[in-house]
Amino acid sequence: MRSINPLHIGALLVVIIMFLFFKLSSVKSELDEARLGFKESQKLAVNLTALQSVYANKDKTTAALRRIFNNRILREAKLLVLDKKNYSLISAKKINTKALNFLMSKVLNSPFIIEKLKIVKLNDKEASLEMEIKW
């Protein structure tokens, strides 16, 4: 009967250990990539949460719109404001250009999601307005 050579066993163990170190290094690199992906996803989630608190808050949006509409220039314009479940519809059949410019400067410089905006010039001093602000 032939016995197993101890050098063969040693060589086999060295090969197995080298194979395990190779596998371990590849798993470590995959773990590092997954960790980086997780950190990027976490940063994105924080940014999205911050943006959602600014843009998707119905109470803040309606309060800001009410502050804008309470201005003397816009009270004279007779805007029709309809608050729905997910949006607010603002319309005016006739609005003078001064009031329209004031409204657009306030709305466009505020954190609103403007879903629809339609302005039609009626004459040199008046226009019609239809705007939908979503939250």
Side-chain angles (χ1 to χ4, degrees), residues 85-127:
K85 184 178 179 181
N86 295 328
Y87 62 93
S88 184
L89 185 65
I90 299 117
S91 63
K93 295 200 187 260
K94 287 186 179 182
I95 185 170
N96 64 19
T97 55
K98 185 177 179 182
L100 181 63
N101 285 336
F102 177 81
L103 177 65
M104 287 297 105
S105 68
K106 293 295 184 181
V107 168
L108 294 176
N109 287 320
S110 299
F112 297 130
I113 302 172
I114 301 172
E115 192 71 24
K116 177 181 168 186
L117 177 62
K118 182 179 178 183
I119 301 173
V120 178
K121 181 179 177 181
L122 300 176
N123 57 39
D124 287 341
K125 296 187 179 191
E126 292 180 334

Side-chain angles (χ1 to χ4, degrees), residues 41-110:
S41 298
Q42 191 175 20
K43 286 179 185 177
L44 181 64
V46 168
N47 289 339
L48 287 176
T49 303
L51 289 174
Q52 185 177 13
S53 69
V54 171
Y55 286 100
N57 192 339
K58 179 182 178 182
D59 297 331
K60 286 183 181 179
T61 302
T62 55
L65 284 174
R66 295 293 169 230
R67 278 194 309 272
I68 292 171
F69 295 145
N70 283 337
N71 193 296
R72 181 184 54 83
I73 296 171
L74 293 178
R75 276 185 271 161
E76 295 171 359
K78 298 180 182 175
L79 294 173
L80 177 63
V81 180
L82 298 172
D83 289 329
K84 301 291 182 175
K85 184 178 179 181
N86 295 328
Y87 62 93
S88 184
L89 185 65
I90 299 117
S91 63
K93 295 200 187 260
K94 287 186 179 182
I95 185 170
N96 64 19
T97 55
K98 185 177 179 182
L100 181 63
N101 285 336
F102 177 81
L103 177 65
M104 287 297 105
S105 68
K106 293 295 184 181
V107 168
L108 294 176
N109 287 320
S110 299

